[in-house]
Amino acid sequence: MTAITRFAPSPTGLLHVGNIRTALHNWMLARKSGGRFILRIDDTDAARSREEYVDAIRADLQWLGLDWDAEERQSARLDRYEAAFTALHAAGRIYPCYETAQELDVKRKIALGRGLPPIYDRAALALTEAERTAKEAEGIAPHWRFKLDHAEPITWDDGIRGAQKFDAAQLSDPVIRRADGSWLYMMPSAVDDIDMGVTQVLRGEDHVSNTAVQIQIFTALFAAGFAATETAAKTLPAFAHEALLVGREGKLSKRLGSLGCDAFRERGIEPEAIIALLARLGTSQPIEPIADRAALIASFDLTSFGRAPAKFDEDDLERINTGIVHLLPFEAVQHRLPDGMDEAGWHAIRPNLAHLGEAADWWRLVTGPIAQPEFAEDDKAFLAEAARLLAWGDNPWGELTTVLKEATGRKGKPLFLPLRQALTGMEHGPDMGELLPLIGEDEARARLTQAAA
Ligand code: GLU
Protein backbone atom coordinates (compact mmCIF):
# COMPACT_ATOMS: atom_id res chain seq x y z
CA MET A 1 0.00 0.00 0.00
CA THR A 2 1.34 3.45 -0.80
CA ALA A 3 1.54 5.48 2.39
CA ILE A 4 0.50 9.09 2.72
CA THR A 5 2.28 10.45 5.77
CA ARG A 6 2.68 13.85 7.30
CA PHE A 7 5.08 15.73 9.50
CA ALA A 8 3.17 18.34 11.47
CA PRO A 9 5.41 20.71 13.40
CA SER A 10 4.04 23.72 15.24
CA PRO A 11 6.11 26.73 14.16
CA THR A 12 6.64 27.92 17.70
CA GLY A 13 10.34 27.05 17.76
CA LEU A 14 13.15 25.32 15.92
CA LEU A 15 13.14 21.61 15.17
CA HIS A 16 15.01 19.44 17.69
CA VAL A 17 16.32 15.89 17.30
CA GLY A 18 13.00 14.41 18.41
CA ASN A 19 11.08 16.30 15.70
CA ILE A 20 13.75 15.53 13.13
CA ARG A 21 13.44 11.83 13.90
CA THR A 22 9.65 11.96 13.48
CA ALA A 23 10.03 13.84 10.19
CA LEU A 24 12.61 11.36 8.94
CA HIS A 25 10.56 8.29 9.77
CA ASN A 26 7.46 9.69 8.12
CA TRP A 27 9.51 10.60 5.07
CA MET A 28 10.99 7.10 4.93
CA LEU A 29 7.58 5.45 5.23
CA ALA A 30 6.30 7.52 2.32
CA ARG A 31 9.39 7.00 0.17
CA LYS A 32 9.57 3.28 0.86
CA SER A 33 6.05 2.75 -0.43
CA GLY A 34 6.25 5.25 -3.29
CA GLY A 35 3.66 7.36 -1.47
CA ARG A 36 3.47 11.00 -0.43
CA PHE A 37 5.05 12.97 2.40
CA ILE A 38 3.18 16.10 3.48
CA LEU A 39 4.66 18.96 5.47
CA ARG A 40 1.82 20.33 7.57
CA ILE A 41 2.42 23.52 9.47
CA ASP A 42 0.31 23.42 12.64
CA ASP A 43 -0.07 27.14 13.09
CA THR A 44 -3.50 27.49 14.68
CA ASP A 45 -1.88 29.13 17.69
CA ALA A 46 -1.51 32.57 16.12
CA ALA A 47 0.05 34.10 19.20
CA ARG A 48 2.96 31.65 19.38
CA SER A 49 3.44 30.75 15.69
CA ARG A 50 6.11 32.70 13.85
CA GLU A 51 6.91 32.89 10.16
CA GLU A 52 10.65 32.76 10.86
CA TYR A 53 10.17 29.31 12.39
CA VAL A 54 8.25 28.15 9.32
CA ASP A 55 11.23 29.25 7.20
CA ALA A 56 13.68 27.56 9.57
CA ILE A 57 11.70 24.30 9.51
CA ARG A 58 11.72 24.28 5.72
CA ALA A 59 15.45 25.11 5.61
CA ASP A 60 16.29 22.34 8.07
CA LEU A 61 14.29 19.75 6.14
CA GLN A 62 16.00 20.85 2.93
CA TRP A 63 19.43 20.63 4.53
CA LEU A 64 18.58 17.13 5.73
CA GLY A 65 17.39 16.22 2.24
CA LEU A 66 13.85 15.39 3.38
CA ASP A 67 11.77 16.59 0.46
CA TRP A 68 8.03 16.98 0.79
CA ASP A 69 5.37 16.51 -1.86
CA ALA A 70 2.95 19.11 -0.51
CA GLU A 71 2.89 21.81 2.11
CA GLU A 72 -0.28 22.56 4.05
CA ARG A 73 -1.00 25.20 6.64
CA GLN A 74 -3.66 24.93 9.26
CA SER A 75 -4.17 28.70 9.28
CA ALA A 76 -5.30 28.45 5.65
CA ARG A 77 -7.86 25.76 6.43
CA LEU A 78 -10.05 27.44 9.02
CA ASP A 79 -13.16 27.02 6.86
CA ARG A 80 -12.69 23.24 6.98
CA TYR A 81 -12.51 23.29 10.77
CA GLU A 82 -15.63 25.43 10.86
CA ALA A 83 -17.38 22.87 8.63
CA ALA A 84 -16.25 19.98 10.82
CA PHE A 85 -17.37 21.87 13.90
CA THR A 86 -20.81 22.45 12.40
CA ALA A 87 -21.11 18.78 11.44
CA LEU A 88 -20.07 17.52 14.89
CA HIS A 89 -22.27 20.07 16.62
CA ALA A 90 -25.27 19.00 14.55
CA ALA A 91 -24.48 15.41 15.49
CA GLY A 92 -24.58 16.34 19.17
CA ARG A 93 -20.88 15.65 19.71
CA ILE A 94 -19.84 19.18 20.71
CA TYR A 95 -21.08 21.16 23.70
CA PRO A 96 -20.43 24.63 25.09
CA CYS A 97 -18.68 25.10 28.44
CA TYR A 98 -18.42 28.17 30.62
CA GLU A 99 -15.94 27.31 33.36
CA THR A 100 -13.03 29.65 33.83
CA ALA A 101 -9.47 28.30 33.92
CA GLN A 102 -9.48 28.86 37.70
CA GLU A 103 -12.70 26.91 38.18
CA LEU A 104 -11.31 24.00 36.18
CA ASP A 105 -8.15 24.11 38.23
CA VAL A 106 -10.13 23.89 41.47
CA LYS A 107 -12.10 20.91 40.11
CA ARG A 108 -8.85 19.19 39.17
CA LYS A 109 -7.37 19.76 42.60
CA ILE A 110 -10.46 18.49 44.37
CA ALA A 111 -10.44 15.31 42.26
CA LEU A 112 -6.74 14.74 42.89
CA GLY A 113 -7.28 15.44 46.61
CA ARG A 114 -9.84 12.64 46.68
CA GLY A 115 -7.43 10.32 44.93
CA LEU A 116 -9.47 10.44 41.70
CA PRO A 117 -8.15 11.03 38.18
CA PRO A 118 -8.65 14.68 37.19
CA ILE A 119 -11.25 13.98 34.51
CA TYR A 120 -13.60 16.77 33.45
CA ASP A 121 -16.95 16.19 35.19
CA ARG A 122 -19.14 17.26 32.25
CA ALA A 123 -20.91 19.80 34.44
CA ALA A 124 -21.50 21.97 31.35
CA LEU A 125 -23.43 19.14 29.70
CA ALA A 126 -25.99 19.34 32.49
CA LEU A 127 -26.69 23.05 32.02
CA THR A 128 -30.20 23.92 30.93
CA GLU A 129 -30.91 26.22 28.01
CA ALA A 130 -31.85 28.95 30.50
CA GLU A 131 -28.59 28.55 32.41
CA ARG A 132 -26.58 28.81 29.22
CA THR A 133 -28.47 31.90 28.15
CA ALA A 134 -27.82 33.42 31.57
CA LYS A 135 -24.05 32.74 31.25
CA GLU A 136 -23.97 34.37 27.86
CA ALA A 137 -25.99 37.33 29.14
CA GLU A 138 -23.26 37.74 31.77
CA GLY A 139 -20.85 38.14 28.84
CA ILE A 140 -19.22 34.71 29.23
CA ALA A 141 -18.43 33.30 25.79
CA PRO A 142 -18.33 29.48 25.72
CA HIS A 143 -15.40 27.30 24.87
CA TRP A 144 -16.27 23.97 23.28
CA ARG A 145 -15.65 20.35 24.14
CA PHE A 146 -15.94 17.22 22.06
CA LYS A 147 -18.20 14.69 23.76
CA LEU A 148 -16.50 11.34 23.94
CA ASP A 149 -18.66 8.25 23.52
CA HIS A 150 -18.27 6.33 26.79
CA ALA A 151 -20.12 3.29 25.47
CA GLU A 152 -17.48 2.30 22.95
CA PRO A 153 -14.05 1.09 24.07
CA ILE A 154 -11.35 2.70 21.96
CA THR A 155 -8.99 0.21 20.37
CA TRP A 156 -6.36 0.19 17.70
CA ASP A 157 -3.52 -1.97 16.57
CA ASP A 158 -0.50 0.26 17.01
CA GLY A 159 2.29 -0.28 14.47
CA ILE A 160 4.86 -0.19 17.26
CA ARG A 161 3.03 -0.72 20.55
CA GLY A 162 0.69 -3.48 19.43
CA ALA A 163 -2.93 -3.75 20.60
CA GLN A 164 -4.09 -0.60 22.43
CA LYS A 165 -7.25 -0.17 24.45
CA PHE A 166 -8.65 2.93 26.15
CA ASP A 167 -11.78 3.47 28.18
CA ALA A 168 -13.24 6.77 26.99
CA ALA A 169 -14.71 7.38 30.46
CA GLN A 170 -11.16 7.64 31.79
CA LEU A 171 -10.48 10.61 29.48
CA SER A 172 -11.67 14.21 29.70
CA ASP A 173 -13.82 15.48 26.88
CA PRO A 174 -11.20 17.54 25.06
CA VAL A 175 -11.58 21.27 24.58
CA ILE A 176 -11.39 21.70 20.82
CA ARG A 177 -12.17 25.40 20.49
CA ARG A 178 -11.37 28.37 22.67
CA ALA A 179 -13.82 31.06 23.69
CA ASP A 180 -12.24 33.45 21.18
CA GLY A 181 -13.13 31.02 18.37
CA SER A 182 -9.56 29.78 17.82
CA TRP A 183 -8.77 26.05 17.48
CA LEU A 184 -6.84 23.73 19.70
CA TYR A 185 -4.76 20.96 18.17
CA MET A 186 -7.11 18.00 18.60
CA MET A 187 -9.84 18.39 15.98
CA PRO A 188 -7.98 20.24 13.17
CA SER A 189 -5.38 17.48 13.09
CA ALA A 190 -8.06 14.82 12.54
CA VAL A 191 -9.81 16.99 9.92
CA ASP A 192 -6.53 17.42 8.07
CA ASP A 193 -5.69 13.74 8.20
CA ILE A 194 -9.08 13.01 6.62
CA ASP A 195 -8.94 15.75 3.97
CA MET A 196 -5.35 14.93 3.01
CA GLY A 197 -6.00 11.21 2.80
CA VAL A 198 -3.34 10.42 5.39
CA THR A 199 -2.98 6.64 5.65
CA GLN A 200 -0.37 6.41 8.39
CA VAL A 201 0.10 8.59 11.47
CA LEU A 202 3.51 8.03 13.00
CA ARG A 203 4.47 10.19 15.98
CA GLY A 204 5.89 10.14 19.48
CA GLU A 205 4.28 8.18 22.29
CA ASP A 206 3.41 11.46 24.01
CA HIS A 207 0.50 11.43 21.54
CA VAL A 208 -0.95 8.05 22.51
CA SER A 209 -3.86 9.48 24.49
CA ASN A 210 -4.47 12.08 21.76
CA THR A 211 -4.86 9.17 19.36
CA ALA A 212 -7.54 7.65 21.59
CA VAL A 213 -9.48 10.92 21.46
CA GLN A 214 -8.84 11.51 17.77
CA ILE A 215 -10.09 8.04 16.85
CA GLN A 216 -13.46 9.11 18.22
CA ILE A 217 -13.27 12.43 16.38
CA PHE A 218 -12.46 10.63 13.10
CA THR A 219 -15.28 8.19 13.65
CA ALA A 220 -17.75 10.97 14.47
CA LEU A 221 -16.69 12.92 11.38
CA PHE A 222 -17.09 9.87 9.15
CA ALA A 223 -20.51 9.20 10.67
CA ALA A 224 -21.45 12.84 9.97
CA GLY A 225 -20.54 12.32 6.30
CA PHE A 226 -17.61 14.69 6.56
CA ALA A 227 -15.20 12.86 4.21
CA ALA A 228 -16.35 15.01 1.34
CA THR A 229 -13.80 14.82 -1.45
CA GLU A 230 -12.65 11.98 -3.69
CA THR A 231 -9.17 11.90 -2.19
CA ALA A 232 -10.31 12.17 1.42
CA ALA A 233 -9.69 9.25 3.76
CA LYS A 234 -12.78 7.14 4.35
CA THR A 235 -11.26 5.00 7.07
CA LEU A 236 -9.01 5.57 10.06
CA PRO A 237 -5.32 5.93 9.34
CA ALA A 238 -2.96 3.35 10.81
CA PHE A 239 -1.33 4.67 13.98
CA ALA A 240 2.13 4.03 15.37
CA HIS A 241 3.81 5.71 18.33
CA GLU A 242 7.54 5.73 18.82
CA ALA A 243 9.22 5.57 22.20
CA LEU A 244 10.66 8.96 23.08
CA LEU A 245 14.29 9.96 22.70
CA VAL A 246 16.29 10.25 25.87
CA GLY A 247 19.81 11.46 26.55
CA ARG A 248 22.76 9.20 27.18
CA GLU A 249 21.90 9.07 30.89
CA GLY A 250 18.57 7.55 29.96
CA LYS A 251 16.54 10.57 31.04
CA LEU A 252 14.38 12.92 29.05
CA SER A 253 16.89 15.65 28.60
CA LYS A 254 16.43 19.35 28.30
CA ARG A 255 19.45 19.47 26.06
CA LEU A 256 17.82 17.21 23.46
CA GLY A 257 14.90 19.61 23.33
CA SER A 258 17.15 22.35 22.04
CA LEU A 259 19.60 20.29 19.99
CA GLY A 260 18.85 20.87 16.32
CA CYS A 261 20.30 21.43 12.87
CA ASP A 262 22.05 24.69 13.80
CA ALA A 263 24.11 22.93 16.45
CA PHE A 264 24.82 20.01 14.12
CA ARG A 265 25.96 22.31 11.32
CA GLU A 266 28.16 24.26 13.71
CA ARG A 267 29.83 21.06 14.84
CA GLY A 268 30.41 19.97 11.27
CA ILE A 269 28.01 17.03 11.36
CA GLU A 270 26.91 15.81 7.93
CA PRO A 271 23.17 15.47 7.27
CA GLU A 272 23.85 11.88 6.20
CA ALA A 273 25.22 11.10 9.65
CA ILE A 274 22.08 12.43 11.33
CA ILE A 275 19.94 10.44 8.91
CA ALA A 276 21.92 7.22 9.38
CA LEU A 277 21.75 7.50 13.16
CA LEU A 278 18.12 8.58 13.55
CA ALA A 279 16.86 6.13 10.93
CA ARG A 280 17.70 3.20 13.19
CA LEU A 281 17.90 4.61 16.69
CA GLY A 282 15.40 2.73 18.86
CA THR A 283 15.16 -0.17 16.43
CA SER A 284 16.72 -3.62 16.58
CA GLN A 285 18.75 -2.84 13.44
CA PRO A 286 22.45 -1.99 13.69
CA ILE A 287 23.36 1.69 13.55
CA GLU A 288 26.05 2.04 10.92
CA PRO A 289 27.47 4.84 8.79
CA ILE A 290 25.23 4.16 5.81
CA ALA A 291 25.37 7.00 3.30
CA ASP A 292 23.06 5.26 0.85
CA ARG A 293 19.57 6.52 1.63
CA ALA A 294 17.92 4.00 -0.63
CA ALA A 295 19.43 1.25 1.54
CA LEU A 296 18.19 2.91 4.73
CA ILE A 297 14.74 3.36 3.25
CA ALA A 298 14.59 -0.23 2.04
CA SER A 299 15.45 -1.53 5.51
CA PHE A 300 13.06 0.80 7.37
CA ASP A 301 10.60 -1.34 9.26
CA LEU A 302 8.19 -0.26 12.01
CA THR A 303 8.17 -3.74 13.49
CA SER A 304 11.86 -3.39 14.32
CA PHE A 305 11.11 -0.52 16.74
CA GLY A 306 11.33 -1.27 20.45
CA ARG A 307 9.16 0.03 23.26
CA ALA A 308 12.06 1.20 25.40
CA PRO A 309 13.16 4.85 25.16
CA ALA A 310 15.73 5.38 22.42
CA LYS A 311 19.04 6.73 23.69
CA PHE A 312 20.54 9.56 21.71
CA ASP A 313 24.27 9.63 22.31
CA GLU A 314 26.28 12.48 20.79
CA ASP A 315 29.39 10.28 20.70
CA ASP A 316 27.50 7.85 18.46
CA LEU A 317 26.69 10.74 16.18
CA GLU A 318 30.39 11.69 15.99
CA ARG A 319 31.34 8.09 15.27
CA ILE A 320 28.74 7.79 12.50
CA ASN A 321 29.81 11.16 11.12
CA THR A 322 33.43 10.06 10.84
CA GLY A 323 32.34 6.89 9.08
CA ILE A 324 30.15 8.87 6.69
CA VAL A 325 32.92 11.36 5.86
CA HIS A 326 35.20 8.44 5.00
CA LEU A 327 32.61 7.25 2.49
CA LEU A 328 31.82 10.54 0.78
CA PRO A 329 32.80 10.58 -2.89
CA PHE A 330 34.73 13.52 -4.31
CA GLU A 331 31.76 14.71 -6.40
CA ALA A 332 29.61 15.01 -3.30
CA VAL A 333 32.05 17.25 -1.43
CA GLN A 334 33.99 19.01 -4.21
CA HIS A 335 32.29 22.38 -3.66
CA ARG A 336 33.08 22.30 0.05
CA LEU A 337 36.80 21.53 -0.29
CA PRO A 338 39.67 24.04 -0.15
CA ASP A 339 40.69 25.64 -3.44
CA GLY A 340 42.90 23.45 -5.55
CA MET A 341 42.12 20.23 -3.71
CA ASP A 342 41.47 17.62 -6.39
CA GLU A 343 40.21 14.06 -6.27
CA ALA A 344 43.65 12.64 -5.41
CA GLY A 345 43.91 15.19 -2.60
CA TRP A 346 40.51 14.18 -1.27
CA HIS A 347 41.46 10.51 -1.30
CA ALA A 348 44.74 11.18 0.48
CA ILE A 349 43.17 13.28 3.21
CA ARG A 350 39.72 11.76 3.69
CA PRO A 351 40.81 8.94 6.05
CA ASN A 352 42.15 11.56 8.50
CA LEU A 353 38.94 13.52 8.81
CA ALA A 354 36.33 13.34 11.53
CA HIS A 355 34.60 16.39 10.04
CA LEU A 356 34.75 17.68 6.50
CA GLY A 357 35.79 21.14 7.72
CA GLU A 358 39.16 19.73 8.79
CA ALA A 359 40.10 19.14 5.14
CA ALA A 360 41.53 22.67 4.90
CA ASP A 361 44.00 22.03 7.75
CA TRP A 362 45.28 18.84 6.19
CA TRP A 363 45.43 20.38 2.73
CA ARG A 364 47.82 23.00 4.09
CA LEU A 365 50.35 20.19 4.43
CA VAL A 366 50.33 20.02 0.66
CA THR A 367 50.20 23.70 -0.20
CA GLY A 368 52.43 24.85 2.68
CA PRO A 369 53.87 26.71 4.36
CA ILE A 370 54.56 24.05 6.95
CA ALA A 371 56.36 24.42 10.28
CA GLN A 372 59.18 21.90 10.64
CA PRO A 373 60.64 20.89 13.98
CA GLU A 374 64.36 21.33 14.73
CA PHE A 375 66.15 18.06 13.82
CA ALA A 376 69.10 16.38 15.55
CA GLU A 377 72.39 16.34 13.61
CA ASP A 378 72.16 12.68 12.51
CA ASP A 379 68.63 13.26 11.25
CA LYS A 380 69.83 16.32 9.37
CA ALA A 381 72.45 14.23 7.60
CA PHE A 382 69.79 11.63 6.85
CA LEU A 383 67.44 14.27 5.43
CA ALA A 384 70.24 15.77 3.30
CA GLU A 385 70.73 12.29 1.90
CA ALA A 386 66.97 12.08 1.26
CA ALA A 387 67.02 15.37 -0.65
CA ARG A 388 69.87 14.07 -2.78
CA LEU A 389 68.29 10.66 -3.50
CA LEU A 390 64.75 11.92 -4.13
CA ALA A 391 63.67 10.76 -7.59
CA TRP A 392 60.34 11.28 -9.24
CA GLY A 393 58.86 8.08 -10.61
CA ASP A 394 55.40 6.55 -10.31
CA ASN A 395 55.79 5.97 -6.61
CA PRO A 396 58.21 8.57 -5.23
CA TRP A 397 57.59 7.72 -1.56
CA GLY A 398 58.08 3.98 -2.05
CA GLU A 399 61.22 4.57 -4.10
CA LEU A 400 62.66 7.14 -1.71
CA THR A 401 62.23 4.98 1.37
CA THR A 402 63.66 1.92 -0.40
CA VAL A 403 66.85 3.65 -1.53
CA LEU A 404 67.26 5.41 1.82
CA LYS A 405 66.93 2.15 3.68
CA GLU A 406 69.70 0.66 1.58
CA ALA A 407 71.89 3.73 1.78
CA THR A 408 71.55 4.42 5.51
CA GLY A 409 70.53 1.11 7.08
CA ARG A 410 67.63 2.85 8.82
CA LYS A 411 64.27 1.17 9.03
CA GLY A 412 60.94 1.59 10.82
CA LYS A 413 60.38 4.77 12.78
CA PRO A 414 63.90 6.28 12.36
CA LEU A 415 63.43 5.88 8.63
CA PHE A 416 59.88 7.18 8.27
CA LEU A 417 59.35 9.72 11.05
CA PRO A 418 62.02 12.33 10.14
CA LEU A 419 60.85 12.16 6.54
CA ARG A 420 57.23 12.69 7.47
CA GLN A 421 58.17 15.54 9.82
CA ALA A 422 60.37 17.21 7.24
CA LEU A 423 57.79 16.86 4.49
CA THR A 424 54.67 17.77 6.47
CA GLY A 425 55.77 19.23 9.81
CA MET A 426 53.63 16.57 11.52
CA GLU A 427 54.29 13.29 13.30
CA HIS A 428 51.21 11.63 11.87
CA GLY A 429 48.79 12.28 9.07
CA PRO A 430 47.72 11.07 5.67
CA ASP A 431 49.38 8.23 3.86
CA MET A 432 52.73 9.59 2.58
CA GLY A 433 52.53 7.49 -0.58
CA GLU A 434 49.44 9.49 -1.54
CA LEU A 435 50.59 12.80 -0.11
CA LEU A 436 54.07 13.08 -1.62
CA PRO A 437 52.94 13.20 -5.27
CA LEU A 438 50.56 16.00 -4.28
CA ILE A 439 53.36 18.00 -2.63
CA GLY A 440 55.36 17.70 -5.84
CA GLU A 441 59.03 17.10 -6.57
CA ASP A 442 60.45 20.63 -6.26
CA GLU A 443 58.56 21.45 -3.07
CA ALA A 444 59.43 18.08 -1.53
CA ARG A 445 63.13 18.57 -2.26
CA ALA A 446 62.97 22.12 -0.90
CA ARG A 447 61.42 20.89 2.34
CA LEU A 448 63.97 18.13 2.77
CA THR A 449 66.82 20.53 2.08
CA GLN A 450 65.49 23.09 4.51
CA ALA A 451 65.06 20.48 7.21
CA ALA A 452 68.66 19.35 6.70
CA ALA A 453 70.06 22.86 6.97
N1 GLU B 1 1.71 19.83 15.94
C1 GLU B 1 1.67 18.59 16.67
C2 GLU B 1 2.98 18.41 17.41
O1 GLU B 1 3.95 19.00 17.03
C3 GLU B 1 1.44 17.46 15.69
C4 GLU B 1 1.19 16.15 16.30
C5 GLU B 1 0.76 15.14 15.26
O2 GLU B 1 1.65 14.55 14.62
O3 GLU B 1 -0.43 14.97 15.07
O4 GLU B 1 3.03 17.73 18.41
Side-chain angles (χ1 to χ4, degrees):
M1 191 185 85
T2 58
I4 300 180
T5 64
R6 85 293 196 284
F7 172 53
S10 306
T12 54
L14 298 170
L15 298 183
H16 54 72
V17 275
N19 307 134
I20 294 169
R21 176 169 177 251
T22 304
L24 171 65
H25 292 168
N26 278 287
W27 179 82
M28 291 173 89
L29 270 180
R31 293 292 169 259
K32 182 171 182 175
S33 68
R36 280 159 54 77
F37 174 61
I38 300 169
L39 170 60
R40 185 182 92 196
I41 304 293
D42 279 6
D43 59 350
T44 52
D45 186 343
R48 290 175 61 228
S49 297
R50 297 240 292 275
E51 204 52 34
E52 67 193 79
Y53 291 132
V54 178
D55 292 339
I57 288 166
R58 287 195 201 106
D60 283 350
L61 293 178
Q62 273 160 357
W63 181 69
L64 292 161
L66 304 182
D67 57 330
W68 55 99
D69 302 296
E71 182 177 321
E72 301 280 356
R73 286 182 86 120
Q74 291 197 323
S75 59
R77 294 179 37 79
L78 300 181
D79 54 341
R80 289 301 287 157
Y81 310 144
E82 202 64 60
F85 182 86
T86 306
L88 292 176
H89 193 238
R93 297 299 297 272
I94 290 180
Y95 61 97
C97 301
Y98 300 87
E99 293 94 342
T100 62
Q102 290 85 335
E103 282 166 342
L104 290 172
D105 203 36
V106 170
K107 285 188 194 213
R108 254 193 307 270
K109 283 186 179 138
I110 291 174
L112 288 171
R114 291 191 186 136
L116 299 169
I119 301 166
Y120 177 61
D121 62 5
R122 292 188 157 175
L125 252 187
L127 294 176
T128 63
E129 190 61 47
E131 285 166 328
R132 282 200 287 270
T133 314
K135 292 277 184 196
E136 276 163 47
E138 276 174 53
I140 306 174
H143 57 274
W144 303 84
R145 287 187 192 259
F146 175 77
K147 189 176 160 215
L148 292 168
D149 178 356
H150 288 182
E152 282 291 311
I154 305 167
T155 61
W156 75 92
D157 185 17
D158 194 283
I160 293 172
R161 298 164 63 86
Q164 301 290 299
K165 190 167 179 186
F166 274 79
D167 175 2
Q170 296 303 312
L171 301 167
S172 290
D173 289 339
V175 177
I176 58 165
R177 192 172 201 178
R178 298 187 189 88
D180 65 3
S182 65
W183 302 100
L184 282 118
Y185 156 76
M186 205 65 90
M187 189 198 75
S189 181
V191 171
D192 291 348
D193 288 338
I194 292 175
D195 278 355
M196 294 163 201
V198 168
T199 62
Q200 168 78 63
V201 172
L202 172 60
R203 53 192 176 187
E205 66 182 13
D206 50 332
H207 283 289
V208 168
S209 62
N210 288 345
T211 295
V213 167
Q214 285 173 333
I215 283 177
Q216 287 217 347
I217 297 181
F218 277 106
T219 309
L221 285 167
F222 290 139
F226 183 73
T229 64
E230 271 294 292
T231 51
K234 305 286 188 295
T235 52
L236 288 175
F239 290 97
H241 297 84
E242 310 187 324
L244 298 183
L245 276 191
V246 293
R248 191 166 28 193
E249 333 63 51
K251 289 201 231 82
L252 275 179
S253 103
K254 224 176 176 173
R255 170 156 174 73
L256 287 189
S258 61
L259 190 63
C261 290
D262 285 347
F264 294 141
R265 269 188 292 264
E266 227 162 82
R267 276 170 30 193
I269 302 291
E270 300 298 316
E272 296 311 322
I274 300 165
I275 301 289
L277 178 67
L278 293 181
R280 293 190 171 175
L281 196 62
T283 75
S284 55
Q285 301 190 56
I287 296 174
E288 288 161 352
I290 300 173
D292 176 3
R293 285 196 188 205
L296 285 173
I297 291 170
S299 64
F300 186 74
D301 178 8
L302 280 185
T303 64
S304 72
F305 280 76
R307 299 268 315 253
K311 273 191 200 169
F312 180 83
D313 184 336
E314 296 184 46
D315 292 344
D316 285 343
L317 184 59
E318 290 291 344
R319 177 176 62 79
I320 297 294
N321 193 67
T322 302
I324 292 280
V325 169
H326 295 177
L327 290 171
L328 290 172
F330 178 65
E331 311 80 63
V333 294
Q334 197 170 5
H335 60 288
R336 294 166 61 199
L337 296 180
D339 277 350
M341 187 164 166
D342 58 6
E343 188 159 2
W346 172 241
H347 281 278
I349 279 164
R350 186 171 69 169
N352 287 78
L353 303 178
H355 304 103
L356 192 70
E358 295 151 13
D361 294 335
W362 290 111
W363 188 238
R364 227 163 279 132
L365 305 190
V366 170
T367 59
I370 58 157
Q372 294 167 326
E374 186 57 36
F375 291 96
E377 284 310 315
D378 60 333
D379 280 341
K380 285 188 180 179
F382 167 73
L383 291 167
E385 188 72 349
R388 202 175 59 77
L389 291 173
L390 182 68
W392 214 251
D394 286 343
N395 175 14
W397 175 253
E399 288 152 21
L400 177 65
T401 50
T402 306
V403 294
L404 273 171
K405 193 171 168 182
E406 278 165 25
T408 66
R410 288 196 185 206
K411 55 186 181 190
K413 199 171 164 190
L415 173 67
F416 296 113
L417 187 60
L419 288 173
R420 177 182 283 281
Q421 287 180 307
L423 289 164
T424 69
M426 308 270 301
E427 288 180 19
H428 64 95
D431 182 82
M432 288 304 298
E434 290 191 57
L435 209 56
L436 190 53
L438 298 167
I439 293 172
E441 181 176 7
D442 293 347
E443 177 68 13
R445 186 169 288 108
R447 290 182 189 181
L448 291 169
T449 308
Q450 191 191 337

